[in-house]
Amino acid sequence: LFLFVITTSFLTAQIETKGTISNEIINKFELNYILVKPKTENIKKPLIIFLHGSGEKGNDLEKLKVHGPLKYIKSNPLDAYILAPQCPENKYWDTEELFLLINKVVTDNKIDTNRIYLTGLSMGAWGAWNLAYAHPEMFAALVPIAGFVDRVPMIEGCKIAKLPIRMFHGLLDNVVDVQYSVSIYKKLKDCNKDIQLEI
């Protein structure tokens, strides 16, 4: 019995080791985009960022003019920069890729960094929610349209309490359920005093 106890203890004992890993991960990416500039660039102007839905993925930039600001300005000129990136066909919006693109555009142009507005439609609204939560200090307002919401925004909730938000969603939307917008609105309305939801 004594030998059995010693042998069993020896076999079940675990060995602790400590170590460190050091490496560098480089993610290469490519994002096509359209940047519309205001007629005059003598002073700093606002920037509107529009993230499209899944139907406009690919490498045909003309698709970006089907919805959103690039469609709107055909008949309603805006005195602002408008940035519309295009998500590659087999991907979804990547928060850090978008962040790098926005920083490049801001660096290269006369943009008022206190007036950067973020909007998106469907998959683009999902991307806009995630981007706003990752970098809330970057944006002056968020306008998600018919968007679904990830677990992180639902958990982190009031991280964007100071960001003005205007939400829009169709009651009969059969692609993205309106309850996504209702749920995040209920989550935010107690801490964000400048949020509106229009259904």
Side-chain angles (χ1 to χ4, degrees):
L1 180 62
F2 177 71
L3 287 173
F4 173 76
V5 171
I6 292 175
T7 305
T8 304
S9 299
F10 178 75
L11 291 174
T12 58
Q14 293 179 291
I15 299 171
E16 179 184 285
T17 61
K18 295 179 180 178
T20 301
I21 182 171
S22 179
N23 206 332
E24 183 176 315
I25 298 174
I26 299 174
N27 293 323
K28 291 185 178 181
F29 73 94
E30 185 174 284
L31 274 180
N32 295 324
Y33 63 89
I34 293 176
L35 177 66
V36 177
K37 299 184 178 185
K39 285 185 178 179
T40 60
E41 298 179 81
N42 52 330
I43 60 171
K44 291 186 175 184
K45 301 285 178 75
L47 170 64
I48 299 168
I49 301 157
F50 173 66
L51 304 182
H52 64 74
S54 59
E56 289 74 56
K57 286 183 182 182
N59 55 12
D60 178 4
L61 289 172
E62 290 302 305
K63 288 181 177 181
L64 303 180
K65 300 175 184 178
V66 174
H67 305 293
L70 295 186
K71 178 182 179 182
Y72 180 81
I73 61 171
K74 290 177 183 177
S75 54
N76 303 275
L78 294 174
D79 191 24
Y81 293 87
I82 300 170
L83 173 62
Q86 187 170 41
C87 187
E89 191 66 54
N90 298 315
K91 291 183 66 176
Y92 292 94
W93 290 118
D94 183 289
T95 296
E96 292 313 303
E97 291 176 7
L98 291 169
F99 181 67
L100 291 171
L101 171 61
I102 295 165
N103 279 328
K104 171 183 165 38
V105 169
V106 168
T107 300
D108 294 347
N109 297 277
K110 279 196 159 184
I111 289 169
D112 183 348
T113 55
N114 293 313
R115 293 189 292 166
I116 299 178
Y117 304 96
L118 177 61
T119 185
L121 177 64
S122 193
M123 182 190 81
W126 166 79
W129 278 114
N130 291 339
L131 185 54
Y133 269 90
H135 302 282
E137 73 291 338
M138 175 174 267
F139 304 107
L142 171 64
V143 185
I145 304 163
F148 53 101
V149 184
D150 271 350
R151 188 166 170 265
V152 169
M154 288 302 290
I155 292 172
E156 294 188 346
C158 293
K159 185 178 179 181
I160 58 172
K162 295 180 180 178
L163 184 62
I165 302 170
R166 300 295 180 267
M167 302 167 60
F168 299 87
H169 210 126
L171 179 63
L172 304 181
D173 192 328
N174 62 359
V175 178
V176 179
D177 195 301
V178 69
Q179 285 306 313
Y180 281 105
S181 291
V182 172
S183 296
I184 191 71
Y185 172 75
K186 288 179 177 178
K187 183 87 173 176
L188 287 168
K189 70 184 179 73
D190 290 336
C191 61
N192 188 320
K193 302 306 177 188
D194 197 1
I195 183 171
Q196 295 176 17
L197 168 60
E198 184 171 331
I199 297 174

Coordinates of all heavy atoms in Angstrom, one line a residue, residues 83-171:
L83 N -15.2 59.7 -47.0 CA -14.4 58.6 -47.2 C -15.3 57.3 -47.3 O -16.0 57.1 -46.3 CB -13.4 58.5 -46.1 CG -12.5 57.2 -46.1 CD1 -11.7 57.0 -47.3 CD2 -11.7 57.1 -44.8
A84 N -15.2 56.6 -48.4 CA -15.9 55.3 -48.5 C -15.0 54.2 -48.9 O -14.6 54.1 -50.1 CB -17.0 55.5 -49.6
P85 N -14.5 53.4 -47.9 CA -13.7 52.3 -48.2 C -14.5 51.1 -48.8 O -15.7 51.1 -48.6 CB -13.0 51.9 -46.9 CG -14.0 52.4 -45.9 CD -14.7 53.6 -46.5
Q86 N -13.9 50.2 -49.4 CA -14.6 49.0 -49.9 C -14.0 47.7 -49.3 O -12.8 47.5 -49.4 CB -14.5 48.9 -51.4 CG -15.4 47.8 -52.0 CD -15.5 47.8 -53.5 OE1 -14.5 48.1 -54.2 NE2 -16.7 47.6 -54.0
C87 N -14.9 47.0 -48.7 CA -14.4 45.7 -48.0 C -14.2 44.7 -49.1 O -15.0 44.5 -50.0 CB -15.5 45.2 -47.1 SG -15.1 43.8 -46.1
P88 N -13.0 44.0 -49.0 CA -12.7 42.9 -50.0 C -13.8 41.8 -49.9 O -14.5 41.6 -48.9 CB -11.4 42.4 -49.5 CG -10.8 43.5 -48.8 CD -11.9 44.2 -48.1
E89 N -13.9 41.0 -51.0 CA -15.0 40.1 -51.2 C -15.1 39.0 -50.1 O -16.2 38.8 -49.6 CB -14.8 39.4 -52.6 CG -16.0 38.5 -53.0 CD -17.2 39.3 -53.3 OE1 -17.1 40.3 -54.1 OE2 -18.2 39.1 -52.7
N90 N -14.0 38.5 -49.7 CA -14.1 37.4 -48.7 C -13.7 37.8 -47.3 O -13.2 37.0 -46.5 CB -13.1 36.2 -49.2 CG -13.6 35.7 -50.5 OD1 -14.7 35.4 -50.8 ND2 -12.6 35.5 -51.4
K91 N -14.0 39.0 -47.0 CA -13.7 39.5 -45.6 C -14.9 40.3 -45.0 O -15.9 40.5 -45.7 CB -12.5 40.5 -45.7 CG -11.2 39.8 -46.0 CD -10.0 40.8 -46.0 CE -9.8 41.3 -44.6 NZ -8.6 42.2 -44.6
Y92 N -14.7 40.7 -43.8 CA -15.6 41.6 -43.1 C -14.8 42.8 -42.7 O -13.6 42.8 -42.7 CB -16.3 40.9 -41.9 CG -17.3 39.8 -42.3 CD1 -16.8 38.5 -42.4 CD2 -18.6 40.1 -42.7 CE1 -17.7 37.5 -42.8 CE2 -19.4 39.1 -43.1 CZ -19.0 37.8 -43.1 OH -19.9 36.8 -43.5
W93 N -15.5 43.8 -42.3 CA -14.8 45.0 -41.8 C -13.8 44.7 -40.7 O -14.2 44.1 -39.7 CB -15.7 46.1 -41.4 CG -16.6 46.7 -42.5 CD1 -17.9 46.7 -42.6 CD2 -16.1 47.4 -43.6 NE1 -18.3 47.3 -43.8 CE2 -17.2 47.8 -44.4 CE3 -14.8 47.8 -44.1 CZ2 -17.1 48.5 -45.6 CZ3 -14.7 48.5 -45.2 CH2 -15.8 48.9 -46.0
D94 N -12.6 45.2 -40.9 CA -11.5 45.0 -39.9 C -11.3 46.3 -39.2 O -10.9 47.3 -39.9 CB -10.2 44.5 -40.5 CG -9.1 44.2 -39.5 OD1 -8.6 45.2 -39.0 OD2 -8.8 43.0 -39.3
T95 N -11.5 46.4 -37.9 CA -11.4 47.7 -37.2 C -10.1 48.3 -37.3 O -10.0 49.5 -37.6 CB -11.7 47.4 -35.7 OG1 -13.0 46.9 -35.6 CG2 -11.5 48.6 -34.8
E96 N -9.0 47.6 -37.2 CA -7.6 48.2 -37.2 C -7.2 48.7 -38.6 O -6.5 49.7 -38.8 CB -6.6 47.3 -36.5 CG -6.8 47.2 -35.0 CD -7.1 48.5 -34.3 OE1 -6.2 49.4 -34.4 OE2 -8.2 48.7 -33.7
E97 N -7.7 47.9 -39.6 CA -7.4 48.4 -41.0 C -8.1 49.7 -41.3 O -7.5 50.6 -41.9 CB -7.9 47.3 -42.0 CG -7.0 46.0 -41.9 CD -7.6 44.9 -42.9 OE1 -8.5 45.2 -43.6 OE2 -7.0 43.8 -42.8
L98 N -9.4 49.8 -40.8 CA -10.1 51.0 -41.0 C -9.4 52.2 -40.2 O -9.3 53.3 -40.7 CB -11.5 50.9 -40.5 CG -12.4 49.9 -41.4 CD1 -13.7 49.6 -40.7 CD2 -12.7 50.6 -42.8
F99 N -9.0 51.9 -39.0 CA -8.3 52.9 -38.2 C -7.1 53.5 -38.9 O -6.8 54.7 -38.9 CB -8.0 52.3 -36.8 CG -7.3 53.3 -35.9 CD1 -8.0 54.4 -35.4 CD2 -6.0 53.1 -35.5 CE1 -7.4 55.2 -34.5 CE2 -5.4 53.9 -34.6 CZ -6.1 55.0 -34.1
L100 N -6.3 52.6 -39.5 CA -5.1 53.0 -40.2 C -5.4 53.8 -41.4 O -4.8 54.8 -41.7 CB -4.3 51.8 -40.6 CG -3.6 51.0 -39.5 CD1 -3.0 49.7 -40.0 CD2 -2.5 51.8 -38.8
L101 N -6.5 53.4 -42.2 CA -6.9 54.2 -43.3 C -7.4 55.6 -42.9 O -7.0 56.6 -43.6 CB -8.1 53.4 -44.1 CG -8.7 54.2 -45.2 CD1 -7.8 54.6 -46.3 CD2 -9.9 53.4 -45.7
I102 N -8.2 55.7 -41.9 CA -8.7 57.0 -41.5 C -7.5 57.9 -41.1 O -7.4 59.1 -41.4 CB -9.6 56.8 -40.3 CG1 -10.9 56.1 -40.8 CG2 -10.0 58.2 -39.7 CD1 -11.8 55.6 -39.6
N103 N -6.5 57.3 -40.3 CA -5.4 58.1 -39.9 C -4.6 58.6 -41.1 O -4.1 59.7 -41.2 CB -4.4 57.3 -39.0 CG -4.9 57.3 -37.6 OD1 -5.5 58.3 -37.1 ND2 -4.7 56.2 -36.9
K104 N -4.5 57.8 -42.2 CA -3.8 58.2 -43.4 C -4.5 59.3 -44.1 O -3.9 60.3 -44.5 CB -3.6 57.0 -44.4 CG -3.1 57.4 -45.7 CD -3.1 56.2 -46.7 CE -2.9 56.6 -48.1 NZ -2.0 57.7 -48.4
V105 N -5.8 59.2 -44.2 CA -6.6 60.2 -44.8 C -6.5 61.6 -44.1 O -6.4 62.6 -44.6 CB -8.1 59.8 -45.0 CG1 -9.0 60.9 -45.5 CG2 -8.1 58.6 -46.0
V106 N -6.6 61.5 -42.7 CA -6.5 62.7 -41.9 C -5.1 63.3 -42.0 O -5.0 64.6 -42.1 CB -6.8 62.3 -40.4 CG1 -6.4 63.4 -39.5 CG2 -8.3 61.9 -40.2
T107 N -4.1 62.5 -42.1 CA -2.7 63.1 -42.2 C -2.5 63.8 -43.5 O -1.9 64.8 -43.6 CB -1.7 61.9 -42.0 OG1 -1.9 61.4 -40.7 CG2 -0.3 62.5 -42.2
D108 N -3.1 63.2 -44.6 CA -2.9 63.7 -46.0 C -3.8 64.8 -46.4 O -3.6 65.4 -47.5 CB -3.0 62.5 -47.0 CG -1.9 61.4 -46.8 OD1 -1.0 61.7 -46.1 OD2 -2.1 60.3 -47.4
N109 N -4.8 65.2 -45.6 CA -5.7 66.2 -46.0 C -6.0 67.2 -44.9 O -5.7 66.9 -43.7 CB -7.0 65.5 -46.4 CG -6.8 64.6 -47.6 OD1 -6.9 65.0 -48.8 ND2 -6.7 63.3 -47.4
K110 N -6.7 68.2 -45.3 CA -7.0 69.3 -44.3 C -8.4 68.9 -43.6 O -9.4 69.5 -43.9 CB -7.1 70.6 -45.0 CG -5.8 71.3 -45.2 CD -6.0 72.8 -45.5 CE -4.7 73.5 -45.2 NZ -4.9 75.0 -45.5
I111 N -8.3 68.0 -42.6 CA -9.5 67.5 -42.0 C -9.5 68.0 -40.5 O -8.5 68.0 -39.8 CB -9.5 66.0 -42.0 CG1 -9.8 65.6 -43.5 CG2 -10.6 65.4 -41.1 CD1 -9.6 64.1 -43.7
D112 N -10.7 68.5 -40.1 CA -10.9 68.9 -38.7 C -11.1 67.6 -37.9 O -12.2 67.0 -38.0 CB -12.2 69.8 -38.7 CG -12.4 70.3 -37.3 OD1 -11.8 69.8 -36.3 OD2 -13.3 71.2 -37.2
T113 N -10.2 67.3 -37.1 CA -10.2 66.1 -36.3 C -11.3 66.1 -35.2 O -11.6 65.0 -34.6 CB -8.9 65.7 -35.7 OG1 -8.4 66.8 -34.9 CG2 -7.8 65.4 -36.8
N114 N -11.9 67.2 -35.0 CA -13.0 67.3 -34.0 C -14.4 67.1 -34.7 O -15.4 67.0 -34.0 CB -13.0 68.7 -33.3 CG -11.8 68.9 -32.4 OD1 -11.5 68.0 -31.7 ND2 -11.2 70.0 -32.6
R115 N -14.3 66.9 -36.0 CA -15.6 66.7 -36.8 C -15.4 65.5 -37.7 O -15.5 65.6 -38.9 CB -16.0 67.9 -37.5 CG -16.4 69.1 -36.6 CD -17.0 70.2 -37.4 NE -16.0 70.9 -38.2 CZ -16.3 71.8 -39.2 NH1 -17.6 72.0 -39.4 NH2 -15.3 72.3 -39.9
I116 N -15.2 64.3 -37.2 CA -15.1 63.1 -37.9 C -16.3 62.3 -37.6 O -16.5 61.9 -36.4 CB -13.8 62.3 -37.6 CG1 -12.6 63.1 -38.0 CG2 -13.8 61.0 -38.4 CD1 -11.3 62.4 -37.7
Y117 N -17.2 62.0 -38.6 CA -18.5 61.4 -38.4 C -18.5 60.0 -39.0 O -18.0 59.9 -40.2 CB -19.6 62.3 -39.0 CG -19.6 63.7 -38.4 CD1 -18.9 64.7 -39.1 CD2 -20.2 63.9 -37.2 CE1 -18.9 66.0 -38.5 CE2 -20.1 65.2 -36.6 CZ -19.5 66.2 -37.3 OH -19.4 67.5 -36.8
L118 N -19.0 59.0 -38.3 CA -19.0 57.7 -38.8 C -20.4 57.1 -39.0 O -21.2 57.2 -38.1 CB -18.2 56.8 -37.7 CG -18.1 55.3 -37.9 CD1 -17.4 55.0 -39.2 CD2 -17.4 54.6 -36.7
T119 N -20.6 56.6 -40.1 CA -21.9 55.9 -40.4 C -21.7 54.6 -41.2 O -20.6 54.4 -41.8 CB -22.8 56.9 -41.2 OG1 -24.1 56.3 -41.4 CG2 -22.3 57.3 -42.6
G120 N -22.7 53.8 -41.2 CA -22.6 52.5 -41.9 C -24.0 51.9 -42.1 O -24.9 52.2 -41.3
L121 N -24.1 51.1 -43.1 CA -25.4 50.4 -43.4 C -25.2 48.9 -43.3 O -24.3 48.3 -43.9 CB -25.7 50.8 -44.8 CG -27.0 50.2 -45.4 CD1 -28.2 50.7 -44.7 CD2 -27.1 50.6 -46.9
S122 N -26.1 48.3 -42.5 CA -26.1 46.8 -42.3 C -24.8 46.3 -41.9 O -24.4 46.6 -40.7 CB -26.6 46.2 -43.6 OG -26.9 44.8 -43.5
M123 N -24.0 45.5 -42.7 CA -22.7 45.1 -42.3 C -21.8 46.3 -42.0 O -20.9 46.2 -41.1 CB -22.1 44.3 -43.4 CG -20.7 43.7 -43.1 SD -19.8 43.0 -44.5 CE -19.2 44.4 -45.3
G124 N -22.0 47.4 -42.6 CA -21.3 48.6 -42.4 C -21.6 49.2 -41.0 O -20.7 49.8 -40.4
A125 N -22.9 49.1 -40.6 CA -23.2 49.6 -39.3 C -22.6 48.7 -38.2 O -22.1 49.2 -37.2 CB -24.8 49.5 -39.1
W126 N -22.5 47.4 -38.5 CA -21.8 46.5 -37.6 C -20.3 46.9 -37.4 O -19.8 47.0 -36.3 CB -21.9 45.1 -38.1 CG -20.9 44.1 -37.5 CD1 -21.0 43.5 -36.3 CD2 -19.7 43.6 -38.0 NE1 -20.0 42.6 -36.0 CE2 -19.1 42.7 -37.1 CE3 -19.0 43.9 -39.2 CZ2 -17.9 42.1 -37.3 CZ3 -17.8 43.3 -39.5 CH2 -17.3 42.4 -38.5
G127 N -19.7 47.2 -38.6 CA -18.3 47.7 -38.6 C -18.2 49.0 -37.9 O -17.2 49.3 -37.2
A128 N -19.2 49.9 -38.0 CA -19.1 51.2 -37.4 C -19.2 51.1 -35.9 O -18.5 51.8 -35.1 CB -20.2 52.1 -38.0
W129 N -20.1 50.2 -35.4 CA -20.2 50.0 -33.9 C -18.9 49.5 -33.4 O -18.4 50.1 -32.4 CB -21.3 48.9 -33.6 CG -22.7 49.4 -33.6 CD1 -23.7 49.0 -34.5 CD2 -23.3 50.3 -32.7 NE1 -24.9 49.6 -34.1 CE2 -24.7 50.4 -33.0 CE3 -22.8 51.0 -31.5 CZ2 -25.6 51.2 -32.3 CZ3 -23.7 51.7 -30.8 CH2 -25.1 51.9 -31.2
N130 N -18.3 48.6 -34.1 CA -17.0 48.0 -33.6 C -15.9 49.0 -33.6 O -15.1 49.1 -32.7 CB -16.6 46.8 -34.4 CG -17.5 45.6 -34.1 OD1 -18.2 45.5 -33.1 ND2 -17.6 44.6 -35.0
L131 N -15.9 49.8 -34.7 CA -14.8 50.9 -34.8 C -15.0 52.0 -33.7 O -14.1 52.4 -33.1 CB -14.9 51.5 -36.2 CG -13.8 52.5 -36.6 CD1 -12.4 51.9 -36.4 CD2 -14.0 52.9 -38.0
A132 N -16.3 52.4 -33.5 CA -16.5 53.4 -32.5 C -16.1 52.9 -31.1 O -15.6 53.7 -30.3 CB -18.0 53.7 -32.5
Y133 N -16.4 51.6 -30.8 CA -16.0 51.1 -29.5 C -14.5 50.9 -29.3 O -13.9 51.1 -28.2 CB -16.7 49.7 -29.2 CG -18.0 49.9 -28.5 CD1 -19.2 50.1 -29.2 CD2 -18.1 50.0 -27.1 CE1 -20.4 50.3 -28.6 CE2 -19.3 50.2 -26.5 CZ -20.4 50.3 -27.2 OH -21.6 50.5 -26.6
A134 N -13.8 50.6 -30.4 CA -12.4 50.5 -30.4 C -11.7 51.9 -30.2 O -10.6 52.0 -29.6 CB -11.9 49.8 -31.6
H135 N -12.2 52.9 -30.9 CA -11.6 54.2 -30.9 C -12.6 55.3 -30.7 O -12.9 56.2 -31.6 CB -10.9 54.4 -32.2 CG -9.8 53.4 -32.5 ND1 -8.6 53.4 -31.9 CD2 -9.9 52.3 -33.3 CE1 -7.9 52.3 -32.3 NE2 -8.6 51.7 -33.1
P136 N -13.3 55.4 -29.5 CA -14.4 56.3 -29.3 C -13.9 57.8 -29.4 O -14.7 58.7 -29.7 CB -14.9 55.9 -27.9 CG -13.8 55.2 -27.3 CD -13.1 54.5 -28.4
E137 N -12.6 58.0 -29.1 CA -12.1 59.4 -29.0 C -12.0 60.0 -30.4 O -11.8 61.2 -30.6 CB -10.7 59.4 -28.3 CG -9.6 58.8 -29.1 CD -9.6 57.3 -29.3 OE1 -10.3 56.6 -28.6 OE2 -9.0 56.8 -30.3
M138 N -12.1 59.1 -31.4 CA -11.8 59.6 -32.8 C -13.0 60.3 -33.4 O -12.9 61.2 -34.3 CB -11.4 58.4 -33.7 CG -11.2 58.8 -35.2 SD -10.6 57.4 -36.1 CE -8.8 57.8 -36.1
F139 N -14.2 60.0 -33.0 CA -15.4 60.4 -33.7 C -16.3 61.4 -33.0 O -16.4 61.4 -31.7 CB -16.3 59.1 -34.0 CG -15.5 58.1 -34.7 CD1 -15.1 56.9 -34.1 CD2 -15.1 58.3 -36.1 CE1 -14.3 56.0 -34.8 CE2 -14.4 57.3 -36.7 CZ -14.0 56.2 -36.1
A140 N -16.9 62.3 -33.8 CA -17.8 63.3 -33.2 C -19.2 62.8 -33.1 O -20.0 63.4 -32.4 CB -17.7 64.6 -34.1
A141 N -19.6 61.8 -33.9 CA -20.9 61.2 -33.9 C -20.9 59.9 -34.6 O -20.0 59.6 -35.5 CB -21.9 62.2 -34.5
L142 N -21.9 59.0 -34.2 CA -22.0 57.7 -34.8 C -23.5 57.6 -35.3 O -24.4 57.9 -34.6 CB -21.7 56.6 -33.8 CG -22.1 55.2 -34.2 CD1 -21.2 54.7 -35.3 CD2 -21.9 54.3 -32.9
V143 N -23.6 57.1 -36.6 CA -24.9 57.0 -37.2 C -25.0 55.6 -37.8 O -24.8 55.4 -39.0 CB -25.2 58.0 -38.3 CG1 -26.7 57.9 -38.8 CG2 -25.0 59.4 -37.7
P144 N -25.4 54.5 -37.0 CA -25.5 53.2 -37.6 C -26.9 53.0 -38.1 O -27.9 53.3 -37.5 CB -25.3 52.3 -36.4 CG -25.6 53.2 -35.2 CD -25.4 54.6 -35.6
I145 N -27.0 52.4 -39.3 CA -28.3 52.2 -40.0 C -28.5 50.7 -40.2 O -27.7 50.0 -40.9 CB -28.3 52.9 -41.4 CG1 -28.0 54.4 -41.2 CG2 -29.6 52.7 -42.1 CD1 -27.6 55.1 -42.4
A146 N -29.5 50.1 -39.6 CA -29.9 48.7 -39.8 C -28.8 47.8 -39.5 O -28.5 46.9 -40.2 CB -30.4 48.5 -41.2
G147 N -28.1 48.0 -38.4 CA -26.9 47.2 -38.0 C -27.1 46.2 -37.0 O -28.0 46.4 -36.1
F148 N -26.4 45.1 -37.1 CA -26.4 44.1 -36.0 C -25.2 44.5 -35.1 O -24.3 45.2 -35.5 CB -26.3 42.7 -36.5 CG -25.2 42.4 -37.4 CD1 -24.1 41.7 -37.0 CD2 -25.3 42.7 -38.8 CE1 -23.0 41.4 -37.9 CE2 -24.3 42.4 -39.7 CZ -23.2 41.7 -39.3
V149 N -25.2 44.0 -33.8 CA -24.3 44.5 -32.8 C -23.6 43.3 -32.2 O -24.2 42.3 -31.8 CB -25.0 45.3 -31.7 CG1 -24.0 45.8 -30.7 CG2 -25.8 46.4 -32.3
D150 N -22.3 43.3 -32.1 CA -21.5 42.2 -31.6 C -21.6 42.2 -30.1 O -22.1 43.1 -29.4 CB -20.0 42.4 -31.9 CG -19.7 41.7 -33.3 OD1 -20.5 41.0 -33.8 OD2 -18.5 42.0 -33.7
R151 N -21.0 41.1 -29.5 CA -21.1 40.9 -28.0 C -20.3 42.0 -27.3 O -20.7 42.4 -26.2 CB -20.5 39.5 -27.8 CG -20.6 39.1 -26.3 CD -20.4 37.6 -26.2 NE -20.2 37.2 -24.8 CZ -19.1 37.1 -24.2 NH1 -18.0 37.4 -24.7 NH2 -19.1 36.7 -22.9
V152 N -19.1 42.4 -27.9 CA -18.3 43.4 -27.2 C -19.0 44.7 -26.9 O -19.0 45.2 -25.8 CB -17.0 43.6 -28.0 CG1 -16.2 44.8 -27.4 CG2 -16.1 42.4 -28.0
P153 N -19.7 45.3 -27.9 CA -20.4 46.6 -27.6 C -21.5 46.3 -26.5 O -21.7 47.2 -25.7 CB -21.0 47.0 -28.9 CG -20.1 46.4 -29.9 CD -19.6 45.1 -29.4
M154 N -22.2 45.2 -26.6 CA -23.2 44.9 -25.6 C -22.6 44.8 -24.2 O -23.3 45.2 -23.2 CB -23.9 43.6 -26.0 CG -24.8 43.7 -27.2 SD -26.1 45.0 -27.1 CE -27.2 44.3 -25.8
I155 N -21.4 44.3 -24.1 CA -20.8 44.1 -22.8 C -20.2 45.4 -22.3 O -20.3 45.8 -21.2 CB -19.7 43.0 -22.8 CG1 -20.3 41.6 -23.0 CG2 -18.8 43.0 -21.5 CD1 -19.3 40.5 -23.3
E156 N -19.5 46.1 -23.2 CA -18.8 47.3 -22.8 C -19.7 48.5 -22.7 O -19.4 49.6 -22.1 CB -17.6 47.6 -23.8 CG -16.5 46.6 -23.7 CD -15.3 46.9 -24.5 OE1 -15.4 47.9 -25.4 OE2 -14.3 46.3 -24.4
G157 N -20.9 48.4 -23.3 CA -21.9 49.4 -23.1 C -21.5 50.9 -23.1 O -21.3 51.5 -24.1
C158 N -21.3 51.4 -21.9 CA -21.2 52.8 -21.8 C -19.8 53.4 -22.1 O -19.5 54.5 -21.8 CB -21.6 53.2 -20.3 SG -23.3 53.0 -20.1
K159 N -19.0 52.6 -22.7 CA -17.7 53.1 -23.2 C -17.8 54.3 -24.2 O -17.0 55.1 -24.3 CB -16.9 51.9 -23.9 CG -15.5 52.3 -24.3 CD -14.8 51.1 -24.9 CE -13.4 51.5 -25.3 NZ -12.7 50.3 -25.9
I160 N -19.0 54.3 -24.9 CA -19.2 55.4 -25.8 C -20.3 56.3 -25.3 O -21.1 56.9 -26.1 CB -19.5 54.9 -27.2 CG1 -20.8 53.9 -27.2 CG2 -18.3 54.2 -27.8 CD1 -21.2 53.6 -28.6
A161 N -20.4 56.5 -24.0 CA -21.4 57.3 -23.4 C -21.4 58.8 -23.8 O -22.4 59.4 -23.8 CB -21.3 57.2 -21.8
K162 N -20.2 59.3 -24.2 CA -20.1 60.7 -24.6 C -20.3 60.9 -26.1 O -20.2 62.0 -26.5 CB -18.8 61.2 -24.1 CG -18.6 61.3 -22.6 CD -17.3 61.8 -22.2 CE -17.2 61.8 -20.7 NZ -15.8 62.3 -20.2
L163 N -20.5 59.9 -26.8 CA -20.6 60.0 -28.3 C -22.0 60.1 -28.7 O -22.9 59.3 -28.5 CB -20.0 58.7 -28.9 CG -19.9 58.6 -30.4 CD1 -18.9 59.7 -31.0 CD2 -19.4 57.3 -30.9
P164 N -22.4 61.2 -29.4 CA -23.7 61.4 -29.9 C -24.0 60.3 -30.9 O -23.2 60.0 -31.8 CB -23.7 62.7 -30.6 CG -22.6 63.5 -30.0 CD -21.5 62.4 -29.6
I165 N -25.2 59.6 -30.8 CA -25.6 58.5 -31.6 C -27.0 58.7 -32.2 O -27.9 59.0 -31.4 CB -25.5 57.2 -30.8 CG1 -24.1 57.0 -30.3 CG2 -25.9 56.0 -31.7 CD1 -24.0 55.8 -29.3
R166 N -27.1 58.5 -33.5 CA -28.4 58.5 -34.2 C -28.6 57.2 -34.9 O -27.9 56.9 -35.8 CB -28.5 59.7 -35.1 CG -28.4 61.1 -34.5 CD -29.5 61.4 -33.6 NE -29.3 62.7 -33.0 CZ -28.7 62.9 -31.8 NH1 -28.2 61.9 -31.1 NH2 -28.7 64.2 -31.3
M167 N -29.5 56.4 -34.4 CA -29.7 55.1 -35.0 C -31.0 55.0 -35.8 O -32.0 55.6 -35.5 CB -29.8 54.0 -33.8 CG -28.6 54.0 -32.9 SD -29.0 53.1 -31.4 CE -29.4 51.5 -32.0
F168 N -30.9 54.3 -36.9 CA -32.1 54.1 -37.8 C -32.2 52.6 -38.1 O -31.2 51.9 -38.4 CB -31.9 54.9 -39.1 CG -31.8 56.4 -38.8 CD1 -30.5 56.9 -38.6 CD2 -32.9 57.2 -38.9 CE1 -30.4 58.3 -38.4 CE2 -32.8 58.5 -38.6 CZ -31.6 59.1 -38.4
H169 N -33.4 52.1 -38.1 CA -33.7 50.7 -38.4 C -35.1 50.5 -38.9 O -36.0 51.0 -38.3 CB -33.4 49.8 -37.2 CG -32.9 48.4 -37.6 ND1 -31.8 47.9 -37.0 CD2 -33.4 47.5 -38.4 CE1 -31.6 46.7 -37.5 NE2 -32.6 46.4 -38.4
G170 N -35.3 49.7 -40.0 CA -36.6 49.4 -40.5 C -37.3 48.4 -39.6 O -36.7 47.3 -39.4
L171 N -38.5 48.6 -39.3 CA -39.3 47.7 -38.5 C -39.4 46.3 -39.1 O -39.4 45.3 -38.5 CB -40.7 48.3 -38.1 CG -41.6 47.4 -37.3 CD1 -41.0 47.2 -35.9 CD2 -43.0 48.0 -37.2

